[in-house]
Amino acid sequence: MDQEFSKTQGKTNKVFYYRVIEGLTQEKTAEKLGMSSRQIQRIEKNYKKVIK
């Protein structure tokens, strides 16, 4: 369970970095991370809830 949580946190951190720091689009971020743009949207939705 802890290992899965770490993987999720790592992906969230990477998405945040590419989207906010690097200013990449969802599509470019998804491409770099080997994910779909929909997965990126879900991750962003979750971290935006935490930030608010």
Side-chain angles (χ1 to χ4, degrees):
M1 174 102 167
D2 289 335
Q3 218 171 12
E4 290 300 316
F5 183 73
S6 293
K7 287 180 188 176
T8 302
Q9 288 300 330
K11 286 182 183 179
T12 300
N13 290 340
K14 288 177 184 177
V15 169
F16 183 83
Y17 174 79
Y18 286 129
R19 292 284 289 142
V20 177
I21 307 301
E22 293 289 324
L24 297 181
T25 63
Q26 287 180 343
E27 291 78 19
K28 290 288 183 185
T29 300
E31 187 178 302
K32 280 193 172 272
L33 297 176
M35 302 169 74
S36 70
S37 58
R38 181 65 184 130
Q39 287 174 297
I40 302 301
Q41 290 173 351
R42 287 186 194 117
I43 290 171
E44 286 183 337
K45 182 180 175 183
N46 289 332
Y47 74 65
K48 285 179 183 176
K49 285 180 187 177
V50 173
I51 292 173
K52 286 184 180 183

